[in-house]
Amino acid sequence: MEILWVLMAVVMIGAVLGPVLLRRRGGIRQVAPGAPDAADPANYGFLRQEELDIRMPGPDGDLLDVLDLVQRSQEWKAASQLLAGTETHGERRWQRVQAFAGAASLELQQRPGGVSDSPGGQWLRVWRAEAPKDAGGAAVHAEFLVQQAWRTSTQGTDEFRIILEEAKEACAQAALLSPGDPVPYIIELSIARGLAYPREEFEQLWLKILDRAPAHMGAHLAALHYWCEKWHGSRDLAYNFAEAAAARAPRGSLLAALPLFAVHEHLPEVNLVRGFYQSEVVTKAVEGALFAVHAARPDDPMLAHVRHLLVFFLVRCERWSEAMNQLVHVDGHVGALPWTLSADPAADYAVYRALAVAGYEANGGSPATLSH
């Protein structure tokens, strides 16, 4: 199995790999593309790497249809209508706000504008100008500013701080337009991290979210970043936050998976210790996430997020069959952790998928034995 661990180490340091792996009971080795015995993900109905959708963790047909319409027509009203018809306190509204903001930010990055053409994302500026009291537009604009700060500025610079201060004001305006809506406060969690809110101020912000949506998984994931060692907390604070949320999670809530995200946030940059992924802390977090997935509603918008992270950990734990069981639910979309941390999310996902298929087949699995 040594080649497997070499591959894992390479993935861990961010290399983009495209291995073709050979089925062989008791071992996995790299072979040339097109070899007749190579393990082929396509045999399981998985999409080719170039067909993977990197925009979202899972399907949302209504959102994709509206995004396509808005970007083709540069008209904002369909986006406004979609958000107005999306439950205020649910996970899906937060995801859709992020998606619209991300689309506008990416458009602007690709087409900054000039003398002869308008900048990308113009539809968002028109939306805010023509409907200044539209709560959905206000939230998208606030999230757009946050994404602009993190994408285009260097943390700690005056430019970064100025954009986030503007975003903070935009969050306040969005909150006034939609009392009781947690989304403006969830957006502010990223601002709190970037501007290094003191803990008391951060906790006051967090209480506003808990008052509005106490079991909001997306909010907990955003807050977890603040408590992590690389930002304004520590490993212990992050683990305590995640474990406390999991302990009070109502049945059917994906918050039971939060400790797995805390473990991921504190993975070493390079880990060659083979037993790490069989350690108690990883095993406990994986089991908690599997329990959450089994108990969750099939239509929970955050379910794909948890499944994607489980694929990452289950492959590293050599739990091939369980990894394959997650892959059959998420394949086709890769816009989730851990893949989005890569410059090429589809390529990183494809590596882990190939490892899962190879490991599954090396232990006697086949397309005929995989449950869907």
Side-chain angles (χ1 to χ4, degrees):
M1 301 290 290
E2 293 304 318
I3 187 63
L4 177 58
W5 293 101
V6 172
L7 283 171
M8 286 183 174
V10 173
V11 173
M12 194 66 164
I13 61 176
V16 175
L17 300 176
V20 179
L21 299 167
L22 174 67
R23 297 169 292 180
R24 189 181 58 165
R25 182 175 296 276
I28 301 173
R29 62 185 177 85
Q30 200 167 5
V31 297
D37 292 327
D40 186 357
N43 292 338
Y44 296 85
F46 296 150
L47 296 183
R48 295 192 302 269
Q49 179 178 322
E50 59 270 23
E51 296 175 324
L52 296 170
D53 190 327
I54 65 173
R55 295 171 295 179
M56 298 187 302
D60 184 344
D62 290 341
L63 173 62
L64 289 180
D65 289 345
V66 171
L67 264 177
D68 180 62
L69 175 62
V70 168
Q71 293 185 304
R72 278 190 293 104
S73 66
Q74 290 295 296
E75 291 289 339
W76 56 268
K77 291 180 181 177
S80 174
Q81 291 169 358
L82 182 65
L83 288 180
T86 306
E87 182 191 359
T88 302
H89 296 85
E91 304 281 356
R92 198 172 297 280
R93 179 178 170 82
W94 166 230
Q95 290 186 1
R96 288 173 171 176
V97 165
Q98 287 182 297
F100 285 126
S105 180
L106 187 59
E107 278 186 40
L108 182 59
Q109 181 180 334
Q110 294 173 339
R111 196 173 70 250
V115 175
S116 59
D117 63 335
S118 61
Q122 182 69 22
W123 53 269
L124 178 55
R125 283 179 283 277
V126 175
W127 186 356
R128 292 298 294 131
E130 294 183 354
K133 294 186 177 180
D134 186 313
V140 172
H141 178 239
E143 173 65 15
F144 167 82
L145 291 171
V146 169
Q147 293 195 26
Q148 282 296 100
W150 290 100
R151 285 183 177 182
T152 65
S153 306
T154 302
Q155 183 195 354
T157 62
D158 287 344
E159 180 185 15
F160 181 80
R161 180 184 55 78
I162 289 169
I163 298 175
L164 285 186
E165 291 287 359
E166 183 181 355
K168 185 176 181 179
E169 177 60 30
C171 285
Q173 294 175 6
L176 288 174
L177 291 171
S178 183
D181 184 352
V183 168
Y185 300 103
I186 298 173
I187 296 170
E188 193 177 346
L189 291 171
S190 292
I191 300 170
R193 178 162 52 99
L195 295 180
Y197 280 21
R199 287 185 184 175
E200 182 178 353
E201 185 177 357
F202 182 87
E203 288 170 349
Q204 290 173 353
L205 171 61
W206 182 238
L207 286 175
K208 293 177 182 178
I209 295 170
L210 291 182
D211 285 344
R212 291 162 173 80
H216 199 290
M217 180 67 172
H220 280 79
L221 288 175
L224 178 63
H225 290 300
Y226 178 91
W227 295 112
C228 286
E229 189 173 64
K230 61 188 173 186
W231 290 106
H232 310 297
S234 67
R235 182 188 301 264
D236 286 344
L237 285 170
Y239 281 14
N240 290 342
F241 173 80
E243 289 167 3
R248 67 172 182 268
R251 181 166 179 78
S253 168
L254 287 166
L255 286 176
L258 198 62
L260 189 63
F261 287 85
V263 171
H264 181 262
E265 287 294 326
H266 293 88
L267 287 177
E269 289 188 8
V270 177
N271 177 65
L272 299 178
V273 180
R274 187 167 182 171
F276 175 77
Y277 289 95
Q278 283 76 39
S279 66
E280 181 180 358
V281 65
V282 172
T283 299
K284 182 179 177 182
V286 167
E287 294 301 331
L290 286 169
F291 170 81
V293 165
H294 292 152
R297 300 189 328 271
D299 63 345
D300 191 314
M302 294 301 294
L303 186 54
H305 286 271
V306 180
R307 289 191 187 279
H308 277 289
L309 197 61
L310 273 169
V311 169
F312 173 88
F313 276 98
L314 290 169
V315 166
R316 288 180 172 263
C317 294
E318 298 184 25
R319 294 167 65 167
W320 313 116
S321 180
E322 291 168 291
M324 292 294 288
N325 287 333
Q326 300 305 318
L327 282 166
V328 299
H329 290 287
V330 299
D331 193 74
H333 297 83
V334 295
L337 285 174
W339 327 121
T340 50
L341 298 176
S342 165
D344 192 341
D348 270 18
Y349 169 82
V351 167
Y352 277 80
R353 186 178 63 184
L355 288 169
V357 170
Y360 182 63
E361 295 189 354
N363 288 276
S366 72
T369 62
L370 183 64
S371 300
H372 284 75

